[in-house]
Amino acid sequence: MAGMHAESPPESVHALDLSSLRRPEITFLTAWRRGGNGNGDDSQDQLLACGAIKELTPSTPTQGGHGEIKSMRTAARHLRQGAAQAVLTELLAIARQRGYARVSLETGTTPGFEAAVAMYRKFGFVDCGPFADYREDPFSRFMTKAPDGL
């Protein structure tokens, strides 16, 4: 959360806090590098990245639902090592399993978000307007992934 507040004013930070990540419509994933000494000591395990998918609209037998990518973060010392891509790949697999027709996200517009935007574009996300309860905000960029790209 501190990193988000360093890049955007408080009213433009849409990251989920711990209690929000525990809500039933949220699926939260983490990527870890296993450590330890092989004797069951996990003290060297390292959290690499995390991310979540929020169900905005459930899929029905006749219509695909809508999910939102949330809380994508990578630990600073593990940036640009593929951990966020691995988490996003799994989140998109969950979206496919749920039959979502669309997956969207909100991210920042300041320079600190450029790498994230580049990754989202690599995965086929394109700019779109606000969705769900979001409103136009100069600190927010909205992106969505076309149904056939899931």
Side-chain angles (χ1 to χ4, degrees):
M1 294 294 278
M4 301 299 296
H5 285 281
E7 290 287 330
S8 304
E11 66 274 9
S12 297
V13 173
H14 304 288
L16 299 176
D17 62 16
L18 186 57
S19 64
S20 296
L21 288 171
R22 292 182 171 143
R23 296 180 60 165
E25 68 272 17
I26 303 289
T27 301
F28 182 69
L29 302 180
T30 55
W32 292 81
R33 179 172 294 138
R34 298 292 288 169
N37 59 16
N39 295 324
D41 175 12
D42 294 334
S43 62
Q44 300 300 313
D45 289 355
Q46 297 176 41
L47 175 62
L48 306 178
C50 64
I53 188 163
K54 177 181 181 180
E55 184 166 272
L56 299 175
T57 307
S59 297
T60 68
T62 59
Q63 189 170 353
H66 186 193
E68 178 184 5
I69 301 297
K70 297 289 294 181
S71 300
M72 290 288 300
R73 296 296 292 173
T74 303
R77 65 182 172 180
H78 300 294
L79 290 170
R80 313 225 191 337
Q81 296 177 16
Q85 291 183 45
V87 170
L88 185 55
T89 296
E90 289 301 315
L91 293 171
L92 293 174
I94 291 168
R96 279 190 298 278
Q97 290 169 359
R98 293 180 180 172
Y100 291 163
R102 180 166 70 126
V103 176
S104 303
L105 62 90
E106 180 275 339
T107 192
T109 59
T110 60
F113 293 98
E114 288 175 1
V117 170
M119 180 186 71
Y120 296 135
R121 289 197 191 288
K122 179 180 171 182
F123 274 78
F125 284 86
V126 296
D127 291 327
C128 67
F131 59 92
D133 295 330
Y134 292 107
R135 296 181 188 203
E136 287 290 343
D137 181 338
F139 290 93
S140 289
R141 174 187 303 267
F142 305 101
M143 303 180 83
T144 195
K145 189 161 176 57
D148 59 356
L150 287 178

